[in-house]
Amino acid sequence: MEKRNNDNARHDEPNAIKDNITMKLKSRDWSLVLFVVFGLAMLSSCSKEDEEEESTQPPTTTERYTGDSYGELNSPLVKNEVLQSHETLWSCLYFGSYPANEVVNGTFDAVDAYALAEGDIITDAALYAQLEQATWDEADDTEVNDRRYHRINALGAVAASGNRLQHYRWNDPTAWHYFAYAPIKWRVLNIKGSKALLLAHRMPDSHPFHDRQEDVSWSNSQIRLWLNSDFLDRAFTPAEREAIDETAVTNERNYYFGTPCGPDTHDRVFLLSEAEVFASPRAVDYGFFPSDGPNDPARRFCSTLYAKCRGAWWSPESSSAGNSFWFLRTNGYTMANAVYVGDAGDIYNRGILNTCNDTALLPAITIDLNKACYTVAPAFSSSTINQ
């Protein structure tokens, strides 16, 4: 599903449905942001002389932690949150594991080099030979030298093709491809007491919002079922699952169109909503810009090689190379559409058909840090270009 790389970029449906479904709307939050900034400027000047003196000074940088801390972990540190030039520093941790890095025995050309991150490819002919001879379980997993591996061919992909631009190239649909499990890195979006809300640092997989084109909300979508069964079981051990809380998930109507988004739910794995990435104070507290207007670097995410293998599209643009677009749980302008975030960090409020088969997933979970066995990972700043 190729993307038009211009100001009105969109992802086409596989069946060549080319409408204006993903036309990006202007944000109504700009007026609020400008009002706040203008009001603060007026309050800071007590006289014309003070105003003229202050106008020669550089703007004051504001920063704050948006929630609690726990040990070495902090809630997001946000700087200049009402400005388009805002920056967020997230604490990160490793928790759980998932197929990520492909083992190859020679050259690799299934993905463009610019879309790969360091460590995505493991070139090891001896290991590859061992995996070819290994015994695999029903989940197509095995262990070699105490490390876990997963195998997949084109039948296991959400979408597979040999010549689709910015998609994994399956030159032999029957051949097995081998992926090493790697720790999942998470960004800490919020800490309250010992409970931490986490968002995946890279998109680990690809899956349609729903399996058929019909009106559907998050509560009865296939993506919710899959995340809380297949993904949950593959990504976490039984002990790790014990540390994952059921999160009360609120499903507000679409911010612009008023489209209902179904009943509230309780989930162990879920997707973020509009309100959590731009349309409420929660979005700011999680480190995102309060408007959908600009291409917010804080909303740019890269997919893993395994997600690309499964079908995720990736961007060829220099500022977002290797990034993919990701579903929110909010319905678009109809209940047959789902809102998504583009590779550059922009919001497509009208949404895309919920059967779109090359969207990556960005799961969120809430864990109890008192119970979870995790490792602190390097922090990440939204000002970093490559993830």
Side-chain angles (χ1 to χ4, degrees), residues 17-283:
I17 299 174
K18 297 182 179 179
D19 55 16
N20 292 325
I21 195 168
T22 58
M23 181 174 63
K24 185 168 59 176
L25 301 178
K26 299 290 185 181
S27 172
R28 298 182 296 189
D29 284 342
W30 279 109
S31 58
L32 175 59
V33 172
L34 291 174
F35 176 81
V36 171
V37 173
F38 179 75
L40 290 174
M42 291 297 291
L43 289 173
S44 67
S45 295
C46 298
S47 67
K48 184 173 179 59
E49 290 76 14
D50 290 338
E51 182 179 354
E52 291 174 349
E53 180 179 346
E54 289 179 9
S55 67
T56 64
Q57 303 298 317
T60 301
T61 298
T62 61
E63 62 179 54
R64 68 182 177 98
Y65 287 102
T66 62
D68 296 342
S69 297
Y70 186 98
E72 300 177 57
L73 301 173
N74 299 303
S75 292
L77 174 64
V78 295
K79 303 178 182 180
N80 302 326
E81 60 191 57
V82 299
L83 302 180
Q84 188 170 341
S85 58
H86 82 109
E87 179 183 351
T88 302
L89 181 68
W90 290 280
S91 289
C92 297
L93 59 84
Y94 295 115
F95 179 72
S97 63
Y98 207 73
N101 312 316
E102 184 165 3
V103 179
V104 300
N105 65 351
T107 59
F108 177 84
D109 60 2
V111 173
D112 300 319
Y114 66 79
L116 296 172
E118 184 178 356
D120 277 352
I121 302 296
I122 302 172
T123 304
D124 189 327
L127 174 59
Y128 187 90
Q130 286 181 287
L131 293 171
E132 284 193 306
Q133 300 301 318
T135 300
W136 299 83
D137 63 21
E138 293 181 355
D140 283 319
D141 283 352
T142 194
E143 284 194 10
V144 174
N145 298 327
D146 297 323
R147 187 169 184 182
R148 191 177 174 198
Y149 296 88
H150 178 69
R151 69 176 183 177
I152 182 175
N153 60 22
L155 294 177
V158 175
S161 174
N163 57 2
R164 204 175 176 193
L165 291 177
Q166 283 90 61
H167 289 81
Y168 192 95
R169 292 179 281 274
W170 286 94
N171 296 323
D172 182 351
T174 63
W176 291 108
H177 292 226
Y178 305 109
F179 286 83
Y181 277 75
I184 304 173
K185 184 176 180 178
W186 303 87
R187 302 182 192 181
V188 178
L189 297 189
N190 179 259
I191 297 176
K192 185 176 294 185
S194 66
K195 304 299 178 71
L197 173 63
L198 309 178
L199 183 68
H201 176 67
R202 293 183 71 186
M203 307 169 192
D205 211 327
S206 176
H207 196 282
F209 193 89
H210 200 51
D211 59 350
R212 57 192 178 276
Q213 193 57 52
E214 63 181 4
D215 287 356
V216 66
S217 66
W218 162 255
S219 65
N220 56 351
S221 65
Q222 282 296 315
I223 203 169
R224 178 186 177 222
L225 175 64
W226 183 84
L227 283 170
N228 285 278
S229 54
D230 295 40
F231 176 83
L232 182 71
D233 292 342
R234 183 176 296 283
F236 307 104
T237 65
E240 288 168 337
R241 292 197 288 271
E242 288 295 317
I244 301 174
D245 284 355
E246 276 201 348
T247 300
V249 175
T250 303
N251 295 301
E252 302 99 331
R253 289 174 175 264
N254 182 290
Y255 181 75
Y256 285 101
F257 300 101
T259 313
C261 295
D264 295 342
T265 58
H266 288 81
D267 299 299
R268 301 175 78 183
V269 188
F270 54 97
L271 303 179
L272 297 185
S273 68
E274 275 186 332
E276 291 167 320
V277 297
F278 85 91
S280 79
R282 273 181 295 163

